Amino acid sequence: MSTTTLSAPDAPNAPDGPADGDMLTLRQDALHPAIADPSMDSMRILSETAMKFPEALSFSSGAPYDGNHDLADLSFHIDRYVKHLQERGVPQQRITRLLFQYGPVNGFIQDDVAQMLRNDEDIDVPAEAIMITHGFQEAALVALRGLFSGPDEVLLSVSPAYVGIRGAARMLDIPLEAVDEGPQGLDPEAVAAAARAVRATGRRPAALYLVPDFSNPSGTVLPLQARRRLLEVAAEEDLIILEDNPYGLFAPEGEAMPTLKSLDTAGRVIYLGSFAKSAFPGARLGYLVADQPVTGADGATRTLAQELSRAKAMFSVGSSSLSQAVVGGILAENGHTLRPATRELAAVYLERLQVTLDSLAEHFPPEDHAEHQVSWNTPRGGFFLTVEVGFEAGLGEMERCARDYGVSWAPMSMFHIDGGGERQIRLGFSNLAPEAIREGIARLARFINHTPRA
Ligand SMILES: Cc1ncc(COP(=O)(O)O)c(C=O)c1O
């Protein structure tokens, strides 16, 4: 393992700094093993690809469309939230304190989020069942920290999976077991089999992670029947389901599926929400819905979200007041429903999806599949689709493609927990305009056609 200097001065001859030889040098292998784990680097690699190859058109990330932002919206929405509080009779002094002071650990816009969840997702929970978090990522860390108490407890995860959940589990030393998904997402019977297999090794499968709607990375959607069956399996196998749903809003009109949380009558689901795609990722705001009652040693009962606030306090003290005010303002301005407000955005993504599918079909006619060996899935919405190619498409190939052909993508193998996806690539089309998509797929086609099948 290499030795990494973690604190080398930027300027070797800086007059005030210590001389080079005096600088403390740490060995990377003396740090927590998660730090050196290559799987922990996926998020950084994907987000930095664009910077490394500025000329390349990027299908690498799932960055949302950002052509509709206006700086003035930030102050408008903060003012809108202040007005919303004033209308509810909150005194000015309290509003000022709310925005400037340390705030409640679980946040102060839970009421607004609860209303939104009732309107948009048919999820009916009290504000006390909601914790406002620093994005999905903190919600996952908090939930995992709370649910997992020993080394024999295992997180089952859909595979391929979003790199954020894998990293969160790795950070907390929580072992992961993959449950491979098919074209229709997770098979509930495969989940049951995986839970039993874990139990047969003397360990306990404590929870299951999945993205039922337009999964990242594959774009799959779990059918309704499978959702119902998955909830039964969760009860039979004593699993908590961690439902991650950043893309559900971006379904075609009339095709939105009920969330697992809205179908859950037995308290089996913890819902992990994000405002990264429905508002904007710079807010770094998300939330956790955990309405399960928890009884303490004192006999008092609180929601799991309230109980987990101890973990949240130690991760981040509380979520940003400014971000909560901006998102609270967006919710108030839109009558606490983001479905109509995001229809235009959904249309942008649906058009981009269609252009990507059409461009692929133009360059790789399905009737010539035996020759080009290129095929892809056809998601109904979301930000991603999967392309199968006739050769191994890892990071090296992606970099070659970005450098020599001017287009980047994500190797699907980066998202697989137990290996797999070596001949697949993920195309994230959300932040490319239709013209750029057409040009990007033309470049990708040149790369694929010039790469020997193997
Ligand atoms: C599956 C999944 N969950 C959650 C998120 C959003 O996470 P965060 O709120 O931490 O930005 C993303 C964003 O890429 C995602 O793809």
Side-chain angles (χ1 to χ4, degrees):
M1 190 154 294
S2 65
T3 302
T4 302
T5 302
L6 290 180
S7 43
D10 288 341
N13 299 322
D16 301 335
D20 247 1
D22 297 340
M23 201 65 185
L24 173 66
T25 300
L26 300 174
R27 289 179 58 86
Q28 192 187 46
D29 60 6
L31 304 178
H32 188 282
I35 305 299
D37 186 330
S39 74
M40 295 274 293
D41 236 8
S42 317
M43 202 176 280
R44 186 189 57 77
I45 290 170
L46 293 179
S47 56
E48 285 181 6
T49 301
M51 282 181 259
K52 197 164 164 193
F53 302 102
E55 305 298 317
L57 294 167
S58 174
F59 289 95
S60 296
S61 88
Y65 168 61
D66 52 13
N68 56 351
H69 294 315
D70 183 340
L71 273 179
D73 289 346
L74 294 175
S75 48
F76 172 83
H77 283 121
I78 291 179
D79 289 346
R80 182 66 186 82
Y81 183 68
V82 168
K83 190 165 153 238
H84 172 64
L85 293 180
Q86 286 164 341
E87 283 163 5
R88 286 160 71 190
V90 181
Q92 197 65 22
Q93 202 191 8
R94 257 188 71 197
I95 297 176
T96 306
R97 183 168 300 148
L98 200 59
L99 287 184
F100 282 91
Q101 258 303 359
Y102 285 108
V105 173
N106 277 13
F108 55 76
I109 60 167
Q110 294 93 314
D111 257 325
D112 303 284
V113 174
Q115 278 185 59
M116 174 201 79
L117 288 171
R118 271 194 289 280
N119 291 332
D120 287 346
E121 305 295 352
D122 204 18
I123 294 174
D124 193 0
V125 291
E128 304 78 62
I130 297 172
M131 171 192 292
I132 308 299
T133 57
H134 193 86
F136 156 85
Q137 196 61 29
E138 191 191 30
L141 284 164
V142 167
L144 291 177
R145 181 62 299 149
L147 293 177
F148 286 77
S149 57
D152 291 337
E153 291 173 339
V154 173
L155 174 64
L156 302 178
S157 169
V158 64
S159 179
Y162 174 50
V163 292
I165 192 68
R166 201 168 156 188
R170 186 75 185 87
M171 286 279 293
L172 299 174
D173 293 320
I174 294 172
L176 265 187
E177 285 290 336
V179 189
D180 291 337
E181 70 168 5
Q184 306 258 48
L186 266 187
D187 173 0
E189 305 316 323
V191 173
R196 288 196 288 269
V198 166
R199 228 175 263 117
T201 63
R203 298 173 301 159
R204 186 173 85 86
L208 166 76
Y209 166 84
L210 79 159
V211 183
D213 293 283
F214 309 117
S215 168
N216 178 6
S218 60
T220 55
V221 172
L222 194 66
L224 183 57
Q225 211 34 47
R227 291 176 194 235
R228 295 194 198 285
R229 179 67 191 128
L230 194 57
L231 289 167
E232 287 171 7
V233 166
E236 289 161 14
E237 302 297 335
D238 195 17
L239 294 172
I240 296 269
I241 295 178
L242 299 175
E243 178 179 26
D244 176 12
N245 184 23
Y247 305 109
L249 285 173
F250 306 114
E253 194 69 45
E255 288 190 23
M257 294 281 257
T259 59
L260 290 167
K261 186 67 189 160
S262 69
L263 299 170
D264 174 29
T265 52
R268 285 280 157 194
V269 180
I270 294 178
Y271 186 83
L272 306 173
S274 172
F275 288 107
K277 311 295 153 104
S278 55
F280 59 103
R284 302 305 310 125
L285 218 63
Y287 55 94
L288 169 149
V289 180
D291 54 340
Q292 294 77 1
V294 180
T295 312
D298 56 358
T301 298
R302 289 184 294 206
T303 66
L304 181 57
Q306 288 172 317
E307 198 65 26
L308 291 178
S309 72
R310 292 177 187 156
K312 156 103 184 146
M314 291 304 140
F315 280 127
S316 63
V317 181
S319 292
S320 154
S321 301
L322 290 179
S323 290
Q324 290 188 74
V326 174
V327 170
I330 292 174
L331 293 174
E333 177 68 7
N334 290 288
H336 294 92
T337 167
L338 293 180
R339 282 208 178 267
T342 49
R343 273 299 83 195
E344 267 181 41
L345 201 50
V348 168
Y349 295 131
L350 290 167
E351 183 195 13
R352 290 171 180 206
L353 167 62
Q354 196 54 52
V355 172
T356 309
L357 291 169
D358 291 347
S359 303
L360 284 168
E362 186 190 317
H363 291 280
F364 301 105
E367 59 275 17
D368 299 337
H369 178 257
E371 187 196 320
H372 53 64
Q373 293 177 37
V374 178
S375 57
W376 54 91
N377 66 345
T378 52
R380 298 280 307 155
F383 282 25
F384 308 102
L385 59 81
T386 308
V387 179
E388 183 107 27
V389 293
F391 52 88
E392 293 202 354
L395 263 185
E397 282 74 18
M398 191 274 277
E399 293 214 0
R400 186 167 68 82
C401 182
R403 192 182 51 242
D404 300 343
Y405 292 84
V407 61
S408 68
W409 34 269
M412 204 64 168
S413 52
M414 287 177 95
F415 304 96
H416 278 261
I417 292 169
D418 260 353
E422 287 82 6
R423 288 162 180 266
Q424 292 180 336
I425 69 179
R426 184 193 75 173
L427 293 184
F429 44 78
S430 47
N431 201 23
L432 284 175
E435 255 332 289
I437 291 176
R438 286 189 197 96
E439 173 58 24
I441 299 293
R443 294 180 188 184
L444 179 67
R446 280 198 287 281
F447 165 73
I448 291 176
N449 290 331
H450 290 170
T451 305
R453 318 281 176 265

